[in-house]
Amino acid sequence: SFTVSLHTMDNITVVIKLRPGVPQACQIRVKYLPRYDLKIKPGENVTFTFTCKNPEEYFIMEVQKNIDCVSGPCPFGDVHLYPPGLPRLNRTFIWDVKASTKAGLELKFATPWLRQIEPEGTCPDFVSYNISSCIDTATVNIGTFCRGGSVSRVKLQGGLIMALYLPWNSSLITSGFNIANRSSIKRLCIIESTLKEESSVTLMSPNYPRGFPEDELMTWQFVVPSNMRASVFFHNYSLSNCERKEERVEYYIPGSVSNPEVFKLSDIQPANIAGSFNLSLQGCDQDAQNPGVLRLLFQVVVQHPQIDENVTHLVDLSKEWDMTVTIHSEGWPNRSPFMSEPVCLICKDPRTCDRALTLVSGAIYKISFLCKDLARLRITAEKKISCVDFWRCQGKIYGLSVPKAITQLPVRLHRFIWKLLAPEQINVEIMSPTLKLQQHVQEQKCNTSYSYSIISATPERNLTLGTFCPGGSIEKIQMRNNVTISLKTFGKGFLNESNRQDLKMSFVQHTKDECMFTVRPDPGAKLYLQTPNWSHGLPPYVSMSWYIMVPSKQVARLGFSKDRMGVSCETGRAYVNIQEQRLGAEETVRREDEALPKPLQMYHNFWVNISNCKPVDKTHFALQFWVILAEKKIDLAVIIAVVSGAGLLVAIGLTVCCVRKKKKKSQNPMVGVYNANVNTQMPGKPGLFKKGRRNNESHVYAVIDDAMVYGHLLKESNGSITPEVDVYRPFDGPVGSLPPSPPPLSFRKEIKLSRSTEEPPPLTDTDHDAYTFAHQKVGEPEKNGDANEKSNGDTSTSLLENKEEDGSEE
C-alpha cells in the first residue's frame, strides 16, 4: 500500500488517473472501495493500493504545486520533488507560479543544462521539461527541453508554469532547477545558452511551430568564449501579416560599431562572430483578419577560428552568361548535417557566411572558407544556352567545358549542368571531336573521373539518352527539343583531366529522327550501343538512328545482343532498318514479330535505324547491338583469278606486239598521195569555210600509215597490202552520251569579214561526212579514177600546186 500525506501550507494536489486508451483491467482501492481515479488535496492523508501488480501500465500521476508570488513572498531557491513515498508511475510535476506582470522570474538549471526540442519530440531518457509564460490570461509555450544541452537559464516576465515529466522507472530525485526573483526584463523572455567548446545549439521561437505572440519581443543570450567563433543559420521561418512595424531580428555584438545590427529573417545571418552576443526577435502589429504566423527555428554553431580564414579565393564570373555556381556541404540540399558534425562555411566577406553560397554570372567574388576539411564541400553549377533566332545561332559552336574559375577552387566539383534551350524545328548537336564519347553499358562500363548524363526533354516526355564518358567512338549526337547535359565527377581525378575537355554543341536544322548518333568505331575493339530510356524502353513512336563509319580498308561486323526485339505492339509497327551508304545497297528490315538478323558484314558506311510502335502494357522496346572492325581479307580464289587475268593480258600483249612487228617488216614504205584540192586551213566555225563540206575534200586524209590500221581491217594479198581509195566505212563503236567538247578558241585564226560578205548557211546533217582514207596500191601509178573524180576534184594535184592556185585566186 501507499500513503500520501499533504500539508495544507504546501498547496500541493496529487491526481492519479487511468492512462488514455488502456483497458480498465486495474483499479485503485481506498478503504476497500475500488475506483479508477484518485485526487488527494492539500491537508489530506490517503492510503491506497492497486488491484494489479503492474499499475504503471494503467495509471499516470500529476503532482501540481501552486506558488503565489503576488499576495506574499515567493519560496525562491531549489525546487524539490515533493511529496515523498509516491507510487512508481509515469508522473508529471507541475509548478504554477503566479507573479506580477512587472516582475521577472528566473529559472536556473543545474548542469548538464537543457537542450530545446520540437514540441512533438522525445528525449533519450524520456525526462523532459516544458516552460510556459503566463501573461494575464494568455499562456505562451516557451519550449520543451531535454537534459544535456547549453540552455542554462530562462528569464520570464510575469508568471510561469514549469512542468517536469518523469517516466515510472526514472531514478531522478531532484528537479534540477531553482527559481529566483529578478527585476523586469521588459520582454516576453530571455533564454541564455552557454557554449564553452565547439558545439551547436538549435533553438525555436515561443509557441513554435504555432505563431509568436503579436508585437512581442524576446532575446537569446549566447555566452561564447572570446577565442571561439559563432555563426547563426536560420533553417525554418515564416512571417505574419503586419499592419504596423516590421518583423526583424537584432544582433548586439560587443565591439561592433553599429549595435544593434538589424536583419530581416530572409537575410543571410551574421557568421564568424568572435565571443558572446545577443539575438532578439521582434514581432509586429498583425492584421486582425489575416494575422499569419511568425515563427523561427535556427541554429548557432561555435567553432575554433580556422587557420586559412583570411585566405581569399578569386572567382571571376564576369565573362559568363546565365550561370550560377553553388558551393555547399556534401549532400546538400537533401541532407542536412547532424548537429554534432563540424560545420563548413563559405564566406563572401568575414561576416557573411553560410553552409551554401550561390554565385551568379557577371560578377567577381572573393570568397573564403571556414572549414577544417574542405573535402566535405562540393560545387554544383548550372549554365543555360538558348537559341531564339536560328539565323543568329547558325554556325556558332559553344564550348561545354567547366570554366577555370571553378576548377581552380580547392573544392571538388560535384555536378555541372548545361541546359540547352532550342526552339521548335531546331536540333541540338553535341560533338566530341577529339576524345569522343563512350556509352556506359553493362558490357562496356565507364572508368573515368567524370561522365555525362544526357536528357532530351519535351513538354510530353523526357528521353534519357544514357550515361556517356570520354574515350569512346561517338563523335556526334543530334537531338530534338531542349537538352540537359549533366557532368558528374568521381573522385579527385577530374582536376587533372579538366584541361582536356572537348565537348561542344551547336544548333542545327531539324531532322526527322528523335536522336541521331555519328559513330566512328576503333579498329579491333568491340563497340556496344543501346537505345535510350534503357530501363523503361523507348517512348511510343520514337525513331532513332546511328550512322556508323567504316574505313575503306576494313569491314564492320554488326550484331544484336538478343534474337528478337521483345516488344508487342498495340498500334503501329516496330522496325529495325540496316543499310549501307552506297548506290544500289540492299536494305535489311525486321519487324517486331520477326527475328533480328544474324551478324552482318558491312563494307561501307552504314545506317542503323530503330523505330518504335505503341507497345502494349508491360512490354517495352530496349535494344542493344555491337560493332567490330577488322581488316579486309581477300579470298584465295579472287587472288588466283586476278593473277590469271593479269597473265592472260600479258600474253595477249606479247602476241599483238609480235604480229605488228611482223607486219611492219612485210609492208612497203608508206606512200604520200597529194590532193591539190584539199583545204589545208585549220578547221573553225562553219561560217569561216569558203566552201561547203560537199565542195571540199578536207575529209580525205592525204597521207596514211598502213601500220596504224587495225589488223582485222587489212586485206592481205600475197603478203602485200592493197590500199582502198575513197571507200566509206560506217562507225560501229560505242558512242558517249555527250559529244566531245570543241577545241578552245585561243588558237583559232581570227578572220575579218566585210559587212557585205554573206555568211554561209549553217552545216546540215549531210555535211558531216565521215573521213575516208586513200591508200596507194602496190605497183600502180599515182592516179584517181573513180566516177566522182570530176565532182570531187583532182586528187593527183600536189600540195605545192594547190598553194600556187590559191595564190592566183587571191
Side-chain angles (χ1 to χ4, degrees), residues 10 133 276 289 391 458 561 583 644 658:
D10 293 337
S133 175
S276 302
Q289 302 297 327
W391 300 111
T458 65
S561 299
L583 187 63
S644 301
C658 293

Side-chain angles (χ1 to χ4, degrees), residues 232-250:
V232 182
F233 306 99
F234 286 3
H235 293 306
N236 187 16
Y237 68 89
S238 64
L239 303 176
S240 58
N241 298 316
C242 298
E243 284 188 346
R244 291 188 299 273
K245 301 182 182 179
E246 185 179 7
E247 298 164 336
R248 63 190 184 274
V249 290
E250 298 178 354

Side-chain angles (χ1 to χ4, degrees), residues 233 235 268 325-333 335 337 343-348 352-359 369 377-378 380:
F233 306 99
H235 293 306
I268 296 178
V325 179
T326 302
I327 307 173
H328 54 86
S329 298
E330 187 177 10
W332 175 91
R335 174 187 173 274
V343 68
C344 278
L345 303 179
I346 307 98
C347 305
K348 285 196 296 186
T352 307
C353 306
D354 205 345
R355 280 197 171 105
L357 178 64
T358 299
L359 312 176
F369 301 99
L377 293 178
R378 297 289 184 269
T380 299

Side-chain angles (χ1 to χ4, degrees), residues 187-393:
R187 62 199 65 204
L188 176 64
C189 66
I190 298 175
I191 298 176
E192 181 184 87
S193 178
T194 302
L195 301 160
K196 292 185 176 181
E197 55 186 13
E198 282 194 330
S199 59
S200 67
V201 56
T202 300
L203 297 165
M204 286 149 272
S205 58
N207 272 352
Y208 188 90
R210 300 191 303 273
F212 185 69
E214 181 179 7
D215 196 24
E216 275 291 353
L217 172 66
M218 73 156 294
T219 299
W220 290 273
Q221 290 180 339
F222 297 97
V223 180
V224 181
S226 59
N227 62 337
M228 305 291 283
R229 300 291 183 267
S231 302
V232 182
F233 306 99
F234 286 3
H235 293 306
N236 187 16
Y237 68 89
S238 64
L239 303 176
S240 58
N241 298 316
C242 298
E243 284 188 346
R244 291 188 299 273
K245 301 182 182 179
E246 185 179 7
E247 298 164 336
R248 63 190 184 274
V249 290
E250 298 178 354
Y251 290 86
Y252 180 84
I253 302 173
S256 175
V257 297
S258 57
N259 281 324
E261 296 185 20
V262 180
F263 290 80
K264 295 180 180 179
L265 275 71
S266 58
D267 293 337
I268 296 178
Q269 304 304 309
N272 204 25
I273 303 172
S276 302
F277 67 98
N278 293 350
L279 167 60
S280 299
L281 174 64
Q282 174 67 63
C284 66
D285 292 334
Q286 299 173 351
D287 185 353
Q289 302 297 327
N290 183 21
V293 174
L294 171 61
R295 58 173 171 239
L296 173 63
L297 183 149
F298 67 99
Q299 181 186 18
V300 175
V301 178
V302 175
Q303 58 190 358
H304 289 287
Q306 305 300 313
I307 297 176
D308 57 348
E309 65 177 325
N310 295 324
V311 177
T312 59
H313 301 269
L314 185 68
V315 183
D316 187 357
L317 303 179
S318 59
K319 297 181 181 179
E320 300 291 341
W321 293 88
D322 289 334
M323 187 172 77
T324 59
V325 179
T326 302
I327 307 173
H328 54 86
S329 298
E330 187 177 10
W332 175 91
N334 299 323
R335 174 187 173 274
S336 296
F338 296 110
M339 299 303 177
S340 58
E341 290 184 13
V343 68
C344 278
L345 303 179
I346 307 98
C347 305
K348 285 196 296 186
D349 55 62
R351 289 277 300 281
T352 307
C353 306
D354 205 345
R355 280 197 171 105
L357 178 64
T358 299
L359 312 176
V360 298
S361 56
I364 300 176
Y365 301 88
K366 291 182 179 180
I367 65 173
S368 59
F369 301 99
L370 295 179
C371 185
K372 285 186 177 180
D373 185 10
L374 291 179
R376 297 174 55 233
L377 293 178
R378 297 289 184 269
I379 297 176
T380 299
E382 180 178 306
K383 183 178 178 66
K384 293 181 180 179
I385 301 176
S386 60
C387 177
V388 179
D389 185 358
F390 176 69
W391 300 111
R392 293 185 178 181
C393 308

Side-chain angles (χ1 to χ4, degrees), residues 8 60 92 100 164 181-182 391 430 468 487 535 558 617 625 692:
T8 303
I60 59 175
T92 303
S100 170
L164 170 62
N181 186 18
R182 292 290 181 265
W391 300 111
I430 303 170
F468 301 84
L487 181 149
S535 300
L558 168 68
D617 293 339
F625 60 93

Side-chain angles (χ1 to χ4, degrees), residues 385-387 390 393-394 398 421-422 426-428 505-508:
I385 301 176
S386 60
C387 177
F390 176 69
C393 308
Q394 187 180 20
Y398 303 84
L421 310 178
I426 299 299
N427 281 18
V428 172
M505 65 80 56
S506 62
F507 296 100
V508 297

